[in-house]
Amino acid sequence: MPSTHDKEKPWDTEDIDKWKIDEFKPDDNKAGSFAEESSFATLFPKYREVYLREAWPLVTRALEKHQVACTLDLVEGSMTVRTTRKTYDPAAILKARDLIKLLARSVPFPQAVKILEDGVAADIIKVGNLVGNKQRFVKRRQRILGPNGSTLKALELLTGCYILVQGNTVAAMGGYKGLKEVRRVVEDCMKNIHPIYHIKELMIKRELQKDPELVNESWDRFLPHFKKRNLSKRRKPHKITDKTKKVYTAFPPAPEKSKIDLQIESGEYFLSKQSKERAAREEREAKRREKKEEKQKEREKDFVPPVEAGDDSEKAKKKKEKSKKHEGETKEERKARKEEKRRRKEEKAARKAAKAAGESGDE
């Protein structure tokens, strides 16, 4: 038989997309209706009941186009989808299953209905059991969102996926390649690897994809390699015991005094509730007074005049010594000192007057 590989193919033109997947139509199903009925059911939380009841007519209308039946059970709190005799697409029931899963995880209907399109897939990532500590889990989950949702928005733009963080799960919708990246970022975030590192890596990859010369080359030299900064994971005790060799004694060490024993020694144990409160209040007042005095001294430092050049006379030295002498005295002490000084001046003046009167009498 002659070879045909080098013959001209007029139907094979450059504008044909050989990777395109055509839409599945009823004519493509040569076997006809399915042999058995397939169905999927999922539960939904109580708070989604009102929204689902309102949106259910839209869900029914969307699934009717693919000949898939659906039921909403408000008593059991479940949604069910199943194939019918008219269903022609085998993948339609799987798409419908993903649709009800997304609706149960608080994804709004206008976004969730896009799952019925070709090339769009969904992934529900369970993150609740990846971290044991509740507080740590909440902090790490918040990292996926970022400040004002900026980290989540960056991930959506770079992966081309819709991401919704809700409770113990992260729902993602988009292409298969993007979903793979989202799962890696979310799981690493729960393992204490910040999403910003992955965002940097994705941004670099995005730029490298635009360069046709680097298509068949390794990108490892361009990608960042972050080293772990945490040191030894060995848990260090709060109190490290001294293991040095001590002198042997036959007697055991004295037991540590309890809080009550210390209170009995100080006499605090026998005080009434009012006395304890008064003592605590007095202690607080004393501390407050000390702080106030310290602040006052700090303020007064700004108003002390600087020593001028050449002002080192005896008078200036005496003044300095005098100010140092009365540096730490209180307001009451200062007042008493001034009163004493005034009294001494008066006594001195009286003695002078008496002496002058005695001299004039002798004359």
Side-chain angles (χ1 to χ4, degrees):
M1 186 176 174
S3 176
T4 57
H5 76 278
D6 57 347
K7 281 189 177 181
E8 289 186 10
K9 301 179 181 69
W11 63 88
D12 190 10
T13 55
E14 289 181 2
D15 60 334
I16 293 171
D17 185 5
K18 294 175 183 177
W19 294 100
K20 187 184 175 186
I21 300 168
D22 294 321
E23 190 183 344
F24 196 88
K25 293 177 181 177
D27 301 336
D28 297 325
N29 187 7
K30 305 291 182 187
S33 60
F34 302 147
E36 286 186 16
E37 184 188 276
S38 301
S39 64
F40 293 99
T42 186
L43 300 171
F44 60 85
K46 184 74 176 172
Y47 61 84
R48 291 291 289 166
E49 187 178 313
V50 177
Y51 179 81
L52 288 171
R53 194 164 52 226
E54 289 173 2
W56 200 250
L58 300 169
V59 177
T60 310
R61 212 171 300 142
L63 291 174
E64 273 177 4
K65 292 175 185 175
H66 299 272
Q67 307 298 332
V68 176
C70 60
T71 52
L72 174 68
D73 193 340
L74 296 172
V75 179
E76 285 184 9
S78 66
M79 293 179 279
T80 312
V81 288
R82 63 182 180 279
T83 55
T84 59
R85 299 288 295 171
K86 292 180 182 179
T87 308
Y88 58 88
D89 187 0
I93 187 65
L94 302 175
K95 294 275 187 183
R97 176 200 63 186
D98 290 342
L99 173 66
I100 59 172
K101 272 187 182 180
L102 291 166
L103 289 169
R105 293 314 308 145
S106 299
V107 177
F109 172 74
Q111 180 63 41
V113 78
K114 291 177 185 175
I115 196 71
L116 298 173
E117 298 171 10
D118 288 333
V120 181
D123 191 9
I124 310 286
I125 306 158
K126 293 179 182 177
V127 293
N129 56 351
L130 295 178
V131 183
N133 191 315
K134 179 73 176 173
Q135 289 178 342
R136 202 175 292 154
F137 165 70
V138 171
K139 280 182 182 176
R140 289 182 188 177
R141 186 181 61 182
Q142 185 59 33
R143 281 183 198 166
I144 302 167
L145 298 169
N148 300 323
S150 57
T151 308
L152 190 73
K153 190 71 183 169
L155 280 170
E156 284 182 346
L157 289 168
L158 290 165
T159 57
C161 297
Y162 169 83
I163 306 165
L164 179 77
V165 181
Q166 173 75 14
N168 291 336
T169 59
V170 177
M173 278 178 66
Y176 294 99
K177 199 174 180 183
L179 289 175
K180 198 176 178 182
E181 290 291 344
V182 170
R183 179 171 275 276
R184 186 166 70 96
V185 172
V186 170
E187 285 181 351
D188 281 355
C189 183
M190 290 295 146
K191 292 173 186 171
N192 204 19
I193 299 167
H194 204 283
I196 196 70
Y197 299 127
H198 291 293
I199 288 168
K200 282 182 180 178
E201 191 180 311
L202 288 167
M203 285 170 78
I204 293 163
K205 281 181 179 177
R206 200 180 199 184
E207 290 300 316
L208 291 168
Q209 280 173 359
K210 294 174 185 176
D211 194 346
E213 293 177 7
L214 299 169
V215 172
N216 299 319
E217 287 186 30
S218 176
W219 292 350
D220 288 341
R221 58 200 168 106
F222 301 108
L223 298 175
H225 299 285
F226 300 103
K227 291 180 182 178
K228 282 190 177 181
R229 293 197 178 274
N230 50 341
L231 301 172
S232 172
K233 292 186 179 179
R234 186 179 68 84
R235 213 174 170 84
K236 290 181 182 177
H238 293 295
K239 287 183 181 179
I240 299 166
T241 52
D242 187 15
K243 292 183 179 179
T244 53
K245 204 168 185 182
K246 294 174 184 177
V247 181
Y248 173 75
T249 52
F251 303 102
E256 286 186 10
K257 290 181 180 178
S258 66
K259 193 178 178 182
I260 295 167
D261 292 337
L262 293 168
Q263 284 179 348
I264 289 167
E265 279 185 9
S266 63
E268 191 186 339
Y269 184 79
F270 304 103
L271 294 173
S272 62
K273 192 180 178 182
Q274 289 83 2
S275 304
K276 285 178 183 177
E277 285 176 2
R278 189 168 59 252
R281 194 163 54 249
E282 283 172 5
E283 194 178 336
R284 282 198 302 273
E285 282 292 322
K287 282 181 183 177
R288 191 178 60 78
R289 223 176 287 118
E290 281 176 18
K291 280 186 181 178
K292 195 177 178 183
E293 284 172 10
E294 283 173 13
K295 282 181 182 178
Q296 188 66 29
K297 284 175 190 175
E298 285 289 326
R299 286 197 205 99
E300 285 174 0
K301 277 180 186 177
D302 298 334
F303 299 101
V304 175
V307 179
E308 293 179 8
D311 191 21
D312 291 331
S313 60
E314 287 293 322
K315 198 175 181 181
K317 283 182 181 177
K318 281 181 182 178
K319 202 174 182 180
K320 274 185 188 177
E321 286 171 9
K322 202 174 182 182
S323 63
K324 278 184 181 178
K325 190 179 178 182
H326 307 300
E327 194 177 347
E329 67 182 7
T330 59
K331 199 175 180 180
E332 288 81 8
E333 288 173 352
R334 200 182 297 119
K335 197 175 178 182
R337 181 171 56 78
K338 284 180 179 179
E339 193 69 35
E340 182 67 25
K341 195 176 179 181
R342 190 175 58 78
R343 190 176 58 76
R344 282 177 187 170
K345 277 184 181 179
E346 284 174 1
E347 284 178 3
K348 196 176 181 181
R351 278 199 300 272
K352 275 184 180 181
K355 194 177 181 183
E359 284 175 0
S360 62
D362 290 339
E363 287 175 1

